[in-house]
Amino acid sequence: MAILVTGGLGYIGSHTVVELINNNFEVVIVDDLSNSEKFILNNIEEITGKRPIFYPFDLKRKELLNQVFDAHNIEGCINFAAFKAVGESQEKPVDYYENNLFSLINILQEFKARKISNFIFSSSCTVYGQADEMPIDENTPLKMPESVYGKTKQMGEEILKDFAQAYQSKICLLRYFNPIGAHPSSLLGELPIGVPNNLVPYVMQTAAGIREKLSVWGNDYPTEDGTAVRDYIYVVDLAKAHVAALKSLINKNTEETVIDIYNLGTGKGSSVLEVVQAFESANNVAVPYKICDRREGDITIAYANADKAEKELKWKSETSLEEALKTVWEWQKYLESRKN
Ligand code: NAD
Ligand code: WQD
C-alpha cells in the first residue's frame, strides 16, 4: 500500500515525505517541478536512506495520473500540489483555478473510480479571513477570501466535503497558519524562487544581503507594536501533523463519511517586528528594515486555537519561533554553499 503525495518535492510536501518514510509509509510523489527542484529528491534520500518513487508530471494530465494509480496500490493521498502566490493569483485567476481545482478533481476521479478513501487536503487559515475573535478555532465562521488563491482553498474544501458525502469517503482538511523554517539537516527548506512574498524568506534574504531592506508592511495596526500578527508554525512540526492525521483517517475503519478539520498552528501570535527581532537574536545577524504602508489585502491578526488537533491527533507544535528561525539561517547557508 502506498500514499500518493502530490507536490511532494515542494516546501511542506518534502518535509512531510521525510516524516512519512520515517513512519514506514511507502510514498509515491507526483510533482511537475513548477515550484520545486529535482535535487530535493536526492536530499530526501540522503535524510531517510530511502528514495521515494517520483513521477515528474502535471496533475492536470489525467492519463498520466491514471497510470500512476494503475501502477501502485494507493491507499490515500496528501494533496500539496497547488499554486500559492496570493498576488500572482489576482493577476492569473484562470491559471490558479485551473491548476488548484483541476488537479484536485483529477485525483478525486481516480479515488471515485477505485473506491479509495483517505484524502488529506492542504488548506489554509486564509479561509477564515479576518476573524472577529482570537484565537481561531475550527468553528470560527469562514469568510470568502479576498484572493483568488484563498478562494481555491475554500472551493477545494467544499469539493472535498461533497465528495466525502456522496461516496462515504474519509477526508481531512488541514488549515495551516504560517509555516516557517527548514529541516534540521539543512537539506530541505523553502526555495525562494524570485522575490519572496512571505515574511520569513524575505527576512532570510535580507540578512544574507540579497535584499537591501525588509519592507515592514504597516505599523499602524491595532496591535501591541502596530505591526500585524500571525501564528508561525515550524514546518517539521507541521509535517508530523500530516502523519498523525493520516494515521487517524486510516484507523477510522468505517464505511461512513468522515470529514475531519484541524487548525495547525502554535496558538501563539507574533508580530512582524517580533519575528525580525527573534531572527536577529537567534542568529546574531542584522535585518535592516523600513516601515512602509500596509500591503493590500492583509489582515491585522490571526492565530490558532489548535486544541482539537492536540486532543484528537495527539499532536502539538513543539518548536519555538527562535529555534525555527535558526533553521532558516542554516538553510540559507546551505543554499549559498550549493552555488559554490
Ligand atoms: P510549494 O510551492 O513549495 O509546493 C507545491 C508543490 O506542488 C511544488 O513542488 C510544485 O512544483 C507542485 N505543483 C504545483 N502544481 C502542480 C501540478 N499541477 N502538478 C504537479 N505538481 C504541482 O508550496 P508549499 O508551501 O509546500 O505548500 C503546499 C500546500 O500547502 C499548497 O497547497 C499551499 O497552498 C498550502 N499552504 C501553504 C502555506 C504556506 O504558507 N506555505 C500556507 C497554507 C497552505
Ligand atoms: C506575514 C506578515 C505581512 C512580507 C500568506 C497567505 C496565506 C498563507 C500564508 C497560504 C504580514 C508582513 C510580509 C514582507 C512584511 N499562505 N510582511 N514584509 O500574509 O499571513 O499569509 O501566506 O495559504 O494565505 O496570504 O503571510 O508571510 O506574506 O506575511 O511586513 O516583505 O508579514 O504584511 O503581516 P500572510 P506573509
Side-chain angles (χ1 to χ4, degrees), residues 84 86 123-126 147 149-150 153 176-179 196-203 214-218 221 227-230 232 272 295 298-300:
K84 63 165 181 178
V86 173
S123 190
S124 165
C125 63
T126 192
S147 74
Y149 165 74
K153 290 294 159 192
Y176 317 151
F177 281 66
N178 291 55
N197 299 303
N198 295 115
L199 178 63
V200 170
Y202 207 105
V203 165
L214 169 74
S215 300
V216 173
W217 305 125
Y221 284 102
T227 64
V229 168
R230 300 288 186 272
Y232 296 93
V272 176
R295 184 172 67 178
D298 269 357
I299 56 169
T300 303

Side-chain angles (χ1 to χ4, degrees), residues 44-315:
I44 291 173
E45 186 179 8
E46 199 175 324
I47 295 167
T48 62
K50 206 166 169 197
R51 193 173 184 82
I53 299 157
F54 170 53
Y55 293 96
F57 68 83
D58 183 337
L59 288 155
K60 295 194 285 303
R61 300 193 55 189
K62 278 175 123 165
E63 69 293 355
L64 295 180
L65 189 60
N66 185 266
Q67 287 168 19
V68 171
F69 277 86
D70 279 345
H72 303 279
N73 195 357
I74 306 283
E75 68 167 328
C77 172
I78 308 182
N79 184 32
F80 292 103
F83 291 160
K84 63 165 181 178
V86 173
E88 186 185 62
S89 77
Q90 300 305 102
E91 289 152 26
K92 300 179 176 173
V94 177
D95 298 333
Y96 269 67
Y97 286 122
E98 181 186 43
N99 194 60
N100 295 2
L101 298 180
F102 284 18
S103 299
L104 170 64
I105 289 168
N106 289 347
I107 306 165
L108 291 180
Q109 286 288 14
E110 293 295 335
F111 265 51
K112 183 189 81 174
R114 296 165 198 263
K115 300 191 170 33
I116 307 174
S117 204
N118 306 317
F119 194 101
I120 297 186
F121 180 63
S122 297
S123 190
S124 165
C125 63
T126 192
V127 298
Y128 297 112
Q130 178 57 75
D132 296 332
E133 281 175 33
M134 292 299 131
I136 298 171
D137 68 20
E138 292 79 358
N139 295 320
T140 299
L142 304 188
K143 290 186 182 153
M144 182 51 90
E146 282 186 27
S147 74
V148 170
Y149 165 74
K151 287 177 194 163
T152 69
K153 290 294 159 192
Q154 211 175 87
M155 289 175 193
E157 288 199 357
E158 292 306 313
I159 291 168
L160 277 161
K161 286 185 202 161
D162 290 338
F163 175 83
Q165 298 282 7
Y167 306 111
Q168 287 78 49
S169 201
K170 296 182 282 177
I171 64 128
C172 177
L173 311 174
L174 296 180
R175 294 177 179 152
Y176 317 151
F177 281 66
N178 291 55
I180 59 161
H183 195 265
S185 63
S186 302
L187 292 170
L188 307 174
E190 191 165 8
L191 275 183
I193 299 175
V195 181
N197 299 303
N198 295 115
L199 178 63
V200 170
Y202 207 105
V203 165
M204 174 182 97
Q205 293 199 352
T206 308
I210 301 168
R211 313 279 157 205
E212 202 187 321
K213 268 185 186 164
L214 169 74
S215 300
V216 173
W217 305 125
N219 69 346
D220 57 351
Y221 284 102
T223 61
E224 228 158 85
D225 65 18
T227 64
V229 168
R230 300 288 186 272
D231 184 339
Y232 296 93
I233 164 111
Y234 181 46
V235 67
V236 175
D237 290 341
L238 187 63
K240 288 179 178 166
H242 289 76
V243 178
L246 180 66
K247 286 182 178 170
S248 161
L249 267 194
I250 291 173
N251 286 338
K252 286 183 183 165
N253 231 338
T254 160
E255 295 291 298
E256 283 167 30
T257 297
V258 173
I259 300 173
D260 284 339
I261 304 179
Y262 298 105
N263 284 349
L264 299 178
T266 66
K268 184 177 173 291
S270 304
S271 74
V272 176
L273 289 181
E274 279 171 345
V275 171
V276 170
Q277 280 146 16
F279 192 94
E280 290 184 324
S281 71
N283 299 309
N284 206 16
V285 282
V287 179
Y289 68 86
K290 57 179 186 229
I291 304 291
C292 302
D293 289 344
R294 291 181 181 193
R295 184 172 67 178
E296 207 187 311
D298 269 357
I299 56 169
T300 303
I301 183 165
Y303 59 89
N305 173 336
D307 291 353
K308 189 175 174 216
E310 182 171 358
K311 190 162 166 254
E312 295 183 10
L313 301 179
K314 314 278 175 271
W315 170 89

Side-chain angles (χ1 to χ4, degrees), residues 314-332:
K314 314 278 175 271
W315 170 89
K316 71 175 179 356
S317 141
E318 286 172 347
T319 310
S320 71
L321 181 62
E322 283 76 11
E323 284 171 306
L325 292 173
K326 271 189 193 165
T327 65
V328 173
W329 193 228
E330 292 306 314
W331 169 242
Q332 170 60 27

